Amino acid sequence: MKIGVPKEIKTHEYRVGLTPAGVRELIQHGHQVVMEHDAGAGIGCDDQAYSAAGAMIVPTAAEVFAAAALVVKVKEPQPAEIALLRQGQMLFTYLHLAADDRQTQGLMRSGTTCIAYETVTDRAGTLPLLAPMSEVAGRMAVQVGAHCLEREQGGAGILLGGVPGVPPAKVVVLGGGVSGTNAARMAVGLEASVTIIDRSLPRLKELDLQFGPRATTMFATVEAIEHAVLAADLVIGAVLVPGAAAPKLVSRAMVRRMRPGSVLVDIAIDQGGCFETSRPTTHSDPTYVEDGVVHYCVTNMPGAVARTSTQALTNATLPFVLALAGKGWRQAMLDDPHLAEGLNIHAGHVTHAAVARALGLRHTQVRDVLKAGD
């Protein structure tokens, strides 16, 4: 099968769909890989590195999309890329459709089979293709949050870990999943005062065992969230409902009552954000201040550490790319129901229930699509 990897065009997105090692693996399995010129420049891999791995380098994205039966990307396709998609083609990337009606409509019109990294599952019920980037985003959230707390950035001028005789910053992590756990790990390592809030008691018990007295765990109620957020210097929003829009856990009224110079970092912004005052930002203009509170809501946080992120992502996606290329999407999904959970759109139909519900669209069952054989 011909697999196409275009250069990412979202603002300040430096990742790429495959590493040279991933390309070589696909070539070894008898597939062809078509790469856009300089697609890997952002991770320090030039065209020569991809050519040496066996890829064919072409000058434009249009040539990649025209040649490929399977397009492998990182971020959701931008309007110019959606225009290049065609019926019968496969797209494998992050989509985050529940918060993006425009993209969803465009992909439906394209007739493409769209498989989202973020809704593929595994036997444990976790999200193996979201996990690597959640790990990166969680760890980055503390770095950027600490930077935003600096006075020059609009923050309160607080050092995250404090110093002898001066208390550390209070960090609240909303959500104890992969990104939240990694955020807590970094904050604890910097000696901040850390509170983790989650609605799962079993998960809170696991976190309590993991962090011990270095972090406080709290069960998620409206009162608990309000109490913790109003006392916090840095709040990290790390909640996730697979495929669906993120719940708004922190209201605008609550933000108004936070201390001036406090910081909100919204990891959930790809799914609409979990703070009512959140709106998407970019690496070129990452923050804004609302009601005296600094907001960091970059939609592609891991893109800032593109080399690490691309290596981690390729490690996770490669087995699925091999399955899709080797078997075709239908047989691959019949063989692996966890990959089938990744099917979000096929031939103009929305096939993920959470996406359909969030956007008020008709839902077509994946099993019906797999049976249809069209």
Side-chain angles (χ1 to χ4, degrees):
M1 181 178 286
K2 281 191 177 180
I3 300 154
V5 182
K7 185 174 182 178
E8 297 292 324
I9 60 173
K10 187 166 184 173
T11 305
H12 287 268
E13 179 53 69
Y14 303 108
R15 290 172 290 180
V16 63
L18 290 169
T19 61
V23 169
R24 184 177 178 184
E25 194 70 17
L26 288 163
I27 299 296
Q28 285 291 109
H29 282 77
H31 304 294
Q32 296 175 278
V33 179
V34 181
M35 300 279 303
E36 184 180 353
H37 168 61
D38 274 349
I43 65 167
C45 293
D46 59 17
D47 289 346
Q48 185 176 353
Y50 282 99
S51 293
M56 178 189 300
I57 309 299
V58 298
T60 67
E63 291 171 90
V64 172
F65 280 85
L70 167 60
V71 176
V72 177
K73 280 178 42 61
V74 179
K75 289 305 293 178
E76 70 279 358
Q78 303 303 293
E81 294 174 309
I82 293 175
L84 297 174
L85 292 167
R86 64 179 185 273
Q87 188 169 355
Q89 197 170 41
M90 287 181 281
L91 172 66
F92 194 33
T93 188
Y94 287 115
L95 293 174
H96 299 292
L97 296 176
D100 194 342
D101 182 67
R102 181 183 179 189
Q103 183 199 173
T104 303
Q105 295 293 339
L107 292 177
M108 290 171 69
R109 287 192 297 270
S110 75
T112 307
T113 297
C114 303
I115 307 155
Y117 292 160
E118 72 273 8
T119 61
V120 173
T121 60
D122 60 18
R123 292 180 180 177
T126 59
L127 306 171
L129 305 188
L130 189 62
M133 297 305 95
S134 295
E135 291 166 351
V136 171
R139 296 182 184 210
M140 283 189 65
V142 176
Q143 292 181 190
V144 300
H147 182 58
C148 290
L149 277 171
E150 295 173 10
R151 188 62 185 167
E152 186 180 354
Q153 305 303 314
I158 296 173
L159 181 65
L160 211 62
V163 292
V166 180
K170 294 180 180 178
V171 177
V172 172
V173 180
L174 300 177
V178 176
S179 56
T181 300
N182 277 270
R185 179 180 175 185
M186 292 292 285
V188 163
L190 290 172
E191 299 185 0
S193 174
V194 180
T195 299
I196 310 167
I197 301 178
D198 198 274
R199 64 180 181 178
S200 167
L201 277 177
R203 183 58 187 153
L204 291 175
K205 290 177 182 177
E206 292 171 355
L207 292 168
D208 186 65
L209 289 172
Q210 179 175 344
F211 292 111
R214 297 176 298 165
T216 300
T217 58
M218 294 178 64
F219 183 75
T221 63
V222 173
E223 183 173 339
I225 292 171
E226 181 178 291
H227 176 80
V229 166
L230 294 181
D233 300 299
L234 168 60
V235 181
I236 296 172
V239 296
L240 173 69
V241 180
K248 304 295 184 186
L249 299 183
V250 176
S251 67
R252 186 176 298 275
M254 203 182 301
V255 172
R256 291 195 192 103
R257 295 170 60 196
M258 293 178 69
R259 288 198 299 268
S262 300
V263 174
L264 299 177
V265 177
D266 200 340
I267 299 175
I269 191 64
D270 276 324
Q271 296 290 92
C274 60
F275 308 128
E276 194 175 2
T277 48
S278 291
R279 61 177 184 268
T281 62
T282 65
H283 288 292
S284 58
D285 189 15
T287 64
Y288 59 92
V289 178
E290 189 156 333
D291 293 319
V293 176
V294 180
H295 292 62
Y296 180 101
C297 305
V298 173
T299 56
N300 58 330
M301 288 176 66
V305 287
R307 191 178 183 92
T308 296
S309 297
T310 298
Q311 289 173 335
L313 184 59
T314 298
N315 290 344
T317 59
L318 187 57
F320 296 99
V321 175
L322 284 166
L324 290 167
K327 302 176 181 180
W329 68 270
R330 178 172 279 104
Q331 190 59 52
M333 291 181 183
L334 286 170
D335 291 346
D336 183 357
H338 304 294
L339 176 57
E341 292 290 333
L343 187 63
N344 278 213
I345 292 177
H346 170 69
H349 301 283
V350 176
T351 54
H352 196 283
V355 172
R357 186 165 52 248
L359 299 177
L361 298 171
R362 180 182 176 185
H363 173 229
T364 300
Q365 297 282 349
V366 171
R367 63 173 178 267
D368 295 335
V369 171
L370 294 177
K371 289 176 182 177
D374 58 347

